Structure formats: structure tokens, C-alpha cells
Amino acid sequence: MTMKEKIFASLNIRKGEESPILLLLLFSFFMGGASAFFYTAATSLFLENFDTKMLSYAYIASGVTGYLIWVISSKIEKKFTIQHLLITYLVLLTVSVMLFSLSEYFFPFRWLSFLMYVWIRAFTFIGAVVFWILAGRLFDLRQGKRLFGLISSGEVISDIIGFFSIPILLQIISASDLIFIAFIALLLCVVILIYITKVFKSQLSSKSIQVNSESSAVSSSLFGLLKTKYFAYLFFLALLPMFAIYYVDYLFLDQTKLEFPDRNVLASFLGVFFGITAIAEFILKTFLSGRLISKYGIKLGLSILPIILGVCALFAILSGSIFGTTAMFFGFIALMKLSERVLRSSLTDPSFQILYQPLPTEERYTFQSKMEGIPKGIGNVIGGFTLLLFTNLTFMNNIHYTLI
């Protein structure tokens, strides 16, 4: 066995899969870099300009933004081929980041940081839809179980490089300049996407026959979808985790702002923290994710995140109740945030994407975008409203939010 064959065997890659895997790894690499720089800049600028109570409003606005993007996409999707639609999405995202970069440089008004933080949701929505539509078209159900964790590991590699480079870059540039770097990375994503759509044009354009009445429900109304058990389960699997994700995000950012009030110091901490997180993601995605899902099934991938978050939350509540919101409490909150990012991207998201594979190819995009836009948007809004309510109750603190 040659060295190349040994490497492919260790990564669970089979003959003929090298080219699409490499291209998707490159795409996810630059998308991950863009996301890392944009997230760090938007978050640090937001926390510098606003109190953490404004996070509740940002979450609500993020949910509305995600829903509106889905509404617009559902209106125009029938007018474009899937290739042109994905390219249009990515070009619009790239232009939006360019405009944020120019605005921050020439007109750095306070509320721009709020808009950028809200736009993180749009960044995530578009990035996820484009990447997973490509993956779903290029690989079948069996391949997806083996490869979905691996092909998204390119994002993790760029996260490691990007996040760890932020403290160094901030020695010579400001946090707002990171937005321009995100713009350059997105430009490269556009180039790679155009190349993928040309090389794999037949696979991306392929149509499949509708095999049963359930498949036609994909293009029906939301209430029509919920009448089908399979789609209803997917809806709530997409909705419910958003509560935990945004509560953990709020707790983490609130405690982080208390510890690091300076913008550049805060951005440097976020860079180091998410760099460490990305290393854990890379190990899990590259060497364990596909094997675990193939061996134990998607039940493991879908259940491990709430179990681990629940255990971490319990320890945070106990330490906070006994010792107060000290460094130990912050440590457990940071562990929750680390677990949320690592397990969600390495096991939960790949497992969730596999649930789309039984759908007819030509209807998969419609349903995936609907799941990204509606239940996740609703989760953002409800999570934001409940946080807004609780943070205005003076007797409640971060220990109570962790319990919730």
C-alpha cells in the first residue's frame, strides 16, 4: 500500500472521491477563514459599543434576518438553476462584507457594529446552505455518513490559522480591519464555487424522480410540512437547539466582556479561545466524526450535544451557587461554548445533513433552505425575547440563565 493510499484509508476516503473532497475542503477552508475574521471583528466591535443586554435584540433581529433571507430565496429559486442560485447567494454575501468593511473605514458609526453582529446570522445561513447543498449533490447517503465530517474540516483548519493569527494581526491592524480580510477570503470562495459548478455541472443539475407523496410535501406550505411526521421532527430538531445555543452564547459573551473590557484584548482572547476550539474540531472532524457516525449512527450525532451541554450546565450551576460567578463559573461557561461549537459542527450538523439525503435531489435545496430560514429563525426570535424578558428582571443573574 502506497503512502497516498494509507492516508486515504486513514481518512476513510475511497477511490474516485478525491477531486470533490479536495474542492469542498478548499471551499470550506476559505469560508471558515472568512467566518472567523468576520465573527471576531463583529463581536468585539459590538461588545465595545453596547451592553450585553443588547444581545437579546441582536438575536431577535438575527432571527428575522434569517427568515427574510429565506423568504427572498424562496421567491427567486425557481428563476435560477441551482448553480446560478448558489453563486448569486455567495456574491451577495461577499458584496455585503465589502460594504461593511468600507463603511467601518469611512463611516464608523456605533450602530454599524450592531448591524454587523446581526449579519453573522446571514453569514452562517448562506455559508451553510451553499456548502451543504454542494455536499448533498456530490455525495450520496452512504458517502455522506463517511465524509460529511471530513469535508467540512477545511473550515476548521482555516479557523485554527485565522483565530490564532488574530492576536498577531492586531499588533499591526485594528479589529475592524479583519472585515476586509474576510472579504478577500469570500472572493476566493466565489472563484472555487464557480469552478465546482463547471466541473460537476451534471451532478449539480441532475434530477431525480419523485418516489412518493411525502417528497412532494417539500415544496408545500410550512403547515403542510408539519403534518408529515418526518418533516415535523426535522423542524423541531432544527428549532430546539437554538435556545441552548443562544443562551450559551449570551452567557459566554457576557462573562467575557467582564473579564476583557478592552476591544483589542477581547478580540485577542476570542482568537485564542476559538483557535483552541478549532483544534478540537479538527481532530474530531478529521479522524473520528465519520467513523463514529458510520458505526453508531446519527442518533449519537444528534443526542451527544444536548447531553454534554446539560452536564456542563449542571457543573456551572453548582459552582456558581456555591462560589458565585467566579473564574470557575466562567470556566464551565467557556467549556459549554467550546462543546457547543465542537460537537455541533463535528457531529450534530453532519448528522442533521444526512437526514436530507433521502429526499429527491431537486427538492433537497428547497427543504434545506426552509429548515435554515424558518425553525432556526423562530428559535433566534423566541430565544431573544425570553432573554430580553429575563435580563430585565433584576433578581435574575447568569446562574439562573444557565439553569434555564
Side-chain angles (χ1 to χ4, degrees):
M1 183 180 289
T2 65
M3 181 61 69
K4 180 180 177 181
E5 290 172 336
K6 288 180 180 178
I7 293 173
F8 285 167
S10 67
L11 297 176
N12 220 8
I13 298 173
R14 296 175 184 173
K15 188 175 181 180
E17 297 173 343
E18 303 93 334
S19 180
I21 288 174
L22 177 60
L23 288 170
L24 286 175
L25 280 171
L26 280 173
F27 182 86
S28 67
F29 177 84
F30 289 111
M31 180 59 72
S35 178
F37 287 118
F38 187 80
Y39 174 85
T40 303
T43 303
S44 58
L45 291 170
F46 177 88
L47 293 177
E48 180 190 33
N49 289 308
F50 296 99
D51 185 85
T52 49
K53 287 187 177 181
M54 283 296 294
L55 285 168
S56 302
Y57 295 99
Y59 296 151
I60 295 169
S62 296
V64 174
T65 300
Y67 176 75
L68 290 176
I69 291 174
W70 170 77
V71 170
I72 294 170
S73 69
S74 65
K75 298 293 183 183
I76 66 173
E77 65 183 36
K78 295 180 181 179
K79 300 178 181 179
F80 293 88
T81 63
I82 191 66
Q83 299 98 309
H84 291 149
L85 191 63
L86 296 181
I87 292 171
T88 300
Y89 275 159
L90 199 56
V91 168
L92 290 176
L93 178 62
T94 305
V95 171
S96 71
V97 173
M98 179 190 70
L99 293 175
F100 277 129
S101 179
L102 293 174
S103 300
E104 183 61 32
Y105 185 79
F106 291 106
F107 312 104
F109 62 93
R110 183 167 174 256
W111 283 93
L112 182 64
S113 61
F114 181 88
L115 294 176
M116 283 194 290
Y117 189 79
V118 169
W119 200 244
I120 291 174
R121 171 65 185 135
F123 207 116
T124 304
F125 176 93
I126 295 173
V129 168
V130 172
F131 179 80
W132 288 113
I133 285 293
L134 288 173
R137 291 291 181 109
L138 297 180
F139 300 107
D140 60 27
L141 179 60
R142 290 178 180 274
Q143 290 173 310
K145 288 183 178 182
R146 284 187 295 108
L147 301 173
F148 277 1
L150 173 64
I151 59 175
S152 60
S153 64
E155 177 182 357
V156 187
I157 297 172
S158 64
D159 280 350
I160 295 171
I161 298 171
F163 281 125
F164 277 124
S165 68
I166 286 171
I168 300 171
L169 289 172
L170 291 176
Q171 301 297 318
I172 53 177
I173 63 175
S174 67
S176 57
D177 294 326
L178 298 175
I179 304 168
F180 182 74
I181 301 177
F183 163 67
I184 297 299
L186 283 174
L187 276 180
L188 294 171
C189 285
V190 172
V191 173
I192 295 169
L193 177 60
I194 292 172
Y195 182 76
I196 290 174
T197 57
K198 288 184 177 180
V199 173
F200 298 101
K201 184 177 180 180
S202 59
Q203 287 171 262
L204 293 173
S205 303
S206 63
K207 299 286 184 180
S208 63
I209 299 172
Q210 292 185 357
V211 293
N212 55 45
S213 61
E214 286 191 351
S215 65
S216 62
V218 174
S219 57
S220 69
S221 67
L222 174 63
F223 293 106
L225 284 175
L226 295 179
K227 291 179 181 178
T228 304
K229 281 188 177 183
Y230 188 72
F231 298 138
Y233 288 144
L234 289 185
F235 180 89
F236 287 108
L237 274 175
L239 169 68
L240 294 175
M242 302 309 295
F243 290 93
I245 288 168
Y246 282 99
Y247 271 74
V248 170
D249 191 62
Y250 174 85
L251 288 163
F252 176 73
L253 293 178
D254 186 59
Q255 292 293 127
T256 300
K257 184 176 182 178
L258 292 175
E259 297 287 335
F260 309 100
D262 179 76
R263 177 176 72 178
N264 278 2
V265 175
L266 173 63
S268 296
F269 167 77
L270 291 176
V272 173
F273 176 82
F274 288 117
I276 294 171
T277 301
I279 291 175
E281 278 186 79
F282 176 74
I283 295 171
L284 190 57
K285 277 186 173 183
T286 306
F287 301 106
L288 296 174
S289 175
R291 298 180 188 278
L292 288 173
I293 294 173
S294 295
K295 185 173 182 178
Y296 299 105
I298 58 176
K299 285 184 179 180
L300 172 70
L302 295 173
S303 62
I304 193 168
L305 178 60
I307 292 172
I308 297 298
L309 283 184
V311 172
C312 292
L314 177 61
F315 281 110
I317 293 165
L318 292 174
S319 67
S321 301
I322 297 171
F323 304 107
T325 52
T326 59
M328 183 182 293
F329 178 79
F330 177 58
F332 283 120
I333 295 299
L335 183 60
M336 288 177 70
K337 183 63 179 177
L338 184 146
S339 301
E340 178 260 311
R341 282 184 67 99
V342 172
L343 296 176
R344 183 159 60 96
S345 65
S346 303
L347 290 170
T348 304
D349 283 351
S351 297
F352 196 88
Q353 296 301 322
I354 291 169
L355 297 174
Y356 295 132
Q357 293 301 94
L359 303 179
T361 307
E362 76 277 6
E363 296 186 342
R364 205 176 294 155
Y365 164 78
T366 301
F367 190 66
Q368 280 182 272
S369 64
K370 187 171 288 188
M371 287 294 104
E372 287 291 328
I374 301 179
K376 291 187 178 182
I378 293 173
N380 282 22
V381 172
I382 298 176
F385 270 120
T386 56
L387 266 174
L388 182 62
L389 171 64
F390 295 138
T391 52
N392 281 287
L393 298 176
T394 54
F395 64 88
M396 296 193 72
N397 56 38
N398 283 352
I399 300 174
H400 297 117
Y401 308 148
T402 311
L403 179 62
I404 294 168

